[in-house]
Amino acid sequence: MPVYDQLVQFMLDMNLPLIAPEMILVFFILVGVYRLTVSTTLKDRQELWGYSLLGLVMTLVMLCFHWSIDYVNDPRYFSLDVFNGLFSADLLSLVVRTLLVIGTLLVLMFTRAYIDKKAEVPGEFYVLLLSALLGGMMLSGAKDLIMVFVSLETLSISSYVLVAYLRGNVLSTEAGLKYLLYGGMSTAIVLFGFSILYGLTGSLDLVAIGNQLPIVMGQVHSIVLAIMTVMIVGGICFKLSAAPFHMWAPDVYEGSPTPVVAFLSVVSKIAAFAFAIRLFSTVFTQLPHWAGLMAVLSIVSMVIGNVVALAQHNIKRLLAYSTVAHVGYMLLGLVVMTQEGLSSLLYYLITYLFMNLGAFAVVTHFENETGRSDIAAYAGLIRKRPWMTFVLSVMLLSLAGIPITSGFFGKFFLFQAVSNAGNQYLWLVVTALLTSTISLYYYLNVIRLMVIAEPSDAVDALPAHGTDKRAVSLVSFALMFCLMATVALGVFAEPMMAFSNLAIHGVVQSKKMHAEKKPVRVLTLSQH
């Protein structure tokens, strides 16, 4: 057989066409690295923004081709494995990967002017952004502990560098160092938890671990299981910035370049939650008392996130604690671990992507124009930037869960799923409603300043129209897209919820198919 035919057959055997979007992304990352090595001028490095935009568009187009797969009528497509089961290209993975690419595209739209103005070397930023996206996309479908770790490190290491990207900025350097230290510690902890999990089951495959764990649990001391559970949950909650593992978030959000904050608050969170859904639904349902631990983390996140946000004077720190609170809401879906709860969590993630990115797009553009990120600087913004004021107000109202917005339906479906899971969870719903009420104060306070208060010095210094027309056009496109998506997701809440239910059903169906038919890959010491 010719070499070409062998190569094609190998690609088909490994199902590599299913990760064609990631392969395109890798190609453009390599192109970006090559351009950086041969570029001699600042202009050449700035052109990498265009290469990155083209790469993301082509990746999104390839993902759109994958949407033609009939996940509804052909159950075989509930389990689409790549690399002999290391990665799953199922519907949940496809949804999350598409969201990650769209989110990164939106971040790219309001990044160009900010990075060109503040960064000494703008080109490397875009290569690192694509690398972090690649890690997130692979993490969303990882089904093997080794694949999980490699994907997580690809996302994390790129994020560490992005946080500290502004070399001359002390806050950015400090934020990068804190993120590196805390992140390295959490990675070591979660890896130790994975090693215990592998030692107990002898397998790296998540489905095989879920099938093997009930058999070995009776032979292991409960303390070992408790240590393993705490380590894995703690490491994942660090990536999600759930309290009390959120200590890095406020400082990192405040010191990082604002586009990086937008990326971390949305793209990395969605990838981490996608992995958490896959891990908890296949493995953790076998462990005792883990749901109680998740309930405590959810409550602590909601309370700390909303209460501490009341005292913030910096818009980025406020949004950091807002993220902690929203992570607390989303953890409720993992607590009940029903199909309705996980579907509601996925719908919440979709809505959170657009309303949070819309808010950060305004914050990024305002900081780029004024150099200010304190909340007081937004006073009277409606006088000079009515469009930005309107979009930011809608996004904040959606984050607060005001009716008609997509944020309201996200919380409604999630709280309804928790209450339907049993009366023992009603106290979680009551706590979530009370903390959501607290959040109204700090969200509405920002809107009050922008609309009612007298203009601040920063707003007075703004020109009537933006001086950089290209930057204004790109930001306006991102704002319009986020606004339309936020409204549309609220109007078509029921169909989107049904679609989310289908994606989650695919994960459950895949687990059953693996358990009944597919042999799993189990490593033993004799194979090393």
Side-chain angles (χ1 to χ4, degrees):
M1 182 182 293
V3 176
Y4 174 78
D5 293 339
Q6 292 179 354
L7 179 61
V8 172
Q9 187 61 45
F10 171 78
M11 294 178 64
L12 294 176
D13 291 341
M14 294 291 103
N15 282 336
L16 292 186
L18 294 174
I19 58 167
E22 285 76 10
M23 296 171 69
I24 292 175
L25 203 57
V26 169
F27 172 77
F28 276 92
I29 290 173
L30 296 177
V31 169
V33 172
Y34 172 76
R35 291 288 300 176
L36 288 173
T37 57
V38 301
S39 62
T40 57
T41 64
L42 180 63
K43 183 178 180 181
D44 291 337
R45 291 173 176 261
Q46 290 175 333
E47 288 178 354
L48 282 174
W49 181 88
Y51 285 101
S52 302
L53 182 64
L54 177 61
L56 289 174
V57 170
M58 291 185 64
T59 303
L60 185 60
V61 170
M62 183 57 65
L63 284 169
C64 291
F65 280 115
H66 288 184
W67 281 98
S68 61
I69 296 176
D70 189 0
Y71 289 94
V72 179
N73 298 317
D74 194 338
R76 293 176 301 170
Y77 292 123
F78 280 131
S79 178
L80 294 172
D81 290 343
V82 186
F83 298 130
N84 289 329
L86 294 179
F87 180 87
S88 176
D90 56 9
L91 183 56
L92 174 63
S93 169
L94 181 59
V95 171
V96 173
R97 289 151 69 201
T98 304
L99 287 175
L100 296 181
V101 174
I102 292 174
T104 308
L105 266 171
L106 292 173
V107 170
L108 206 64
M109 291 296 168
F110 55 83
T111 295
R112 175 73 182 265
Y114 186 97
I115 293 301
D116 287 351
K117 180 178 180 180
K118 294 182 178 292
E120 297 178 12
V121 280
E124 288 86 342
F125 181 90
Y126 304 111
V127 176
L128 291 168
L129 194 67
L130 294 185
S131 300
L133 171 63
L134 176 64
M137 293 177 70
M138 297 305 295
L139 181 62
S140 67
K143 294 178 58 181
D144 184 278
L145 294 181
I146 298 298
M147 177 64 79
V148 169
F149 181 73
V150 172
S151 303
L152 194 60
E153 285 302 281
T154 303
L155 172 62
S156 299
I157 293 174
S158 301
S159 300
Y160 300 153
V161 183
L162 287 170
V163 168
Y165 199 77
L166 302 181
R167 299 179 185 177
N169 190 305
V170 177
L171 288 177
S172 179
T173 305
E174 178 187 353
L177 181 59
K178 287 182 178 180
Y179 195 29
L180 173 63
L181 294 176
Y182 286 127
M185 179 180 64
S186 71
T187 299
I189 291 174
V190 76
L191 187 59
F192 191 27
F194 284 165
S195 67
I196 297 176
L197 193 59
Y198 169 67
L200 293 177
T201 61
S203 176
L204 296 173
D205 183 87
L206 294 182
V207 177
I209 291 172
N211 295 332
Q212 185 70 17
L213 199 56
I215 301 175
V216 301
M217 279 175 55
Q219 309 167 14
V220 181
H221 199 286
S222 59
I223 294 180
V224 176
L225 295 175
I227 292 175
M228 179 191 70
T229 303
V230 170
M231 284 184 168
I232 295 177
V233 170
I236 293 176
C237 285
F238 172 87
K239 301 300 180 184
L240 297 174
S241 66
F245 306 98
H246 71 291
M247 69 291 290
W248 61 272
D251 292 337
V252 170
Y253 275 45
E254 182 180 12
S256 304
T258 311
V260 176
V261 180
F263 182 87
L264 292 178
S265 69
V266 172
V267 176
S268 64
K269 294 288 184 298
I270 292 177
F273 263 113
F275 166 65
I277 291 173
R278 202 175 296 276
L279 175 68
F280 290 177
S281 62
T282 55
V283 176
F284 272 56
T285 52
Q286 315 294 339
L287 296 172
H289 309 306
W290 75 272
L293 176 61
M294 296 301 297
V296 171
L297 293 174
S298 175
I299 292 296
V300 173
S301 299
M302 288 186 287
V303 173
I304 290 181
N306 284 303
V307 172
V308 181
L310 296 173
Q312 301 307 309
H313 301 287
N314 184 288
I315 189 71
K316 292 161 74 173
R317 292 184 71 90
L318 183 145
L319 290 174
Y321 283 106
S322 169
T323 298
V324 174
H326 281 276
V327 168
Y329 302 139
M330 288 183 270
L331 286 178
L332 293 175
L334 298 178
V335 171
V336 297
M337 197 49 68
T338 61
Q339 181 162 328
E340 184 185 7
L342 295 179
S343 303
S344 302
L345 169 58
L346 181 58
Y347 175 80
Y348 200 110
L349 287 171
I350 297 172
T351 61
Y352 186 73
L353 170 77
F354 296 107
M355 57 190 181
N356 214 44
L357 278 184
F360 271 110
V362 175
V363 172
T364 302
H365 190 63
F366 183 80
E367 183 182 347
N368 194 42
E369 285 191 309
T370 64
R372 302 270 297 274
S373 60
D374 54 301
I375 297 176
Y378 285 77
L381 184 62
I382 194 172
R383 311 288 178 85
K384 292 290 186 69
R385 299 289 186 269
W387 166 240
M388 290 173 55
T389 302
F390 173 72
V391 174
L392 182 56
S393 299
V394 173
M395 299 303 151
L396 293 177
L397 291 174
S398 186
L399 287 168
I402 298 300
I404 302 178
T405 63
S406 61
F408 166 77
F409 288 103
K411 289 183 179 179
F412 174 78
F413 289 138
L414 195 56
F415 297 168
Q416 184 183 52
V418 175
S419 62
N420 290 341
N423 293 332
Q424 67 271 27
Y425 297 112
L426 290 180
W427 65 282
L428 292 173
V429 178
V430 173
T431 306
L433 290 172
L434 291 176
T435 53
S436 296
T437 304
I438 296 174
S439 70
L440 288 173
Y441 176 81
Y442 58 81
Y443 287 132
L444 293 178
N445 181 54
V446 177
I447 298 175
R448 177 189 64 82
L449 283 174
M450 293 189 298
V451 177
I452 298 177
E454 291 297 320
S456 64
D457 295 339
V459 171
D460 279 333
L462 286 174
H465 303 283
T467 55
D468 189 342
K469 301 298 183 183
R470 181 178 60 182
V472 172
S473 300
L474 291 173
V475 172
S476 297
F477 174 82
L479 293 178
M480 178 62 72
F481 192 94
C482 290
L483 180 63
M484 293 176 62
T486 301
V487 174
L489 288 170
V491 174
F492 302 103
E494 285 291 343
M496 285 302 303
M497 184 60 188
F499 176 75
S500 300
N501 188 63
L502 177 64
I504 295 300
H505 176 67
V507 177
V508 178
Q509 184 70 14
S510 175
K511 179 183 176 182
K512 292 180 180 178
M513 291 176 64
H514 278 78
E516 295 172 358
K517 300 179 181 179
K518 184 178 176 179
V520 296
R521 185 170 61 92
V522 179
L523 296 181
T524 62
L525 291 177
S526 61
Q527 292 176 296
H528 287 277

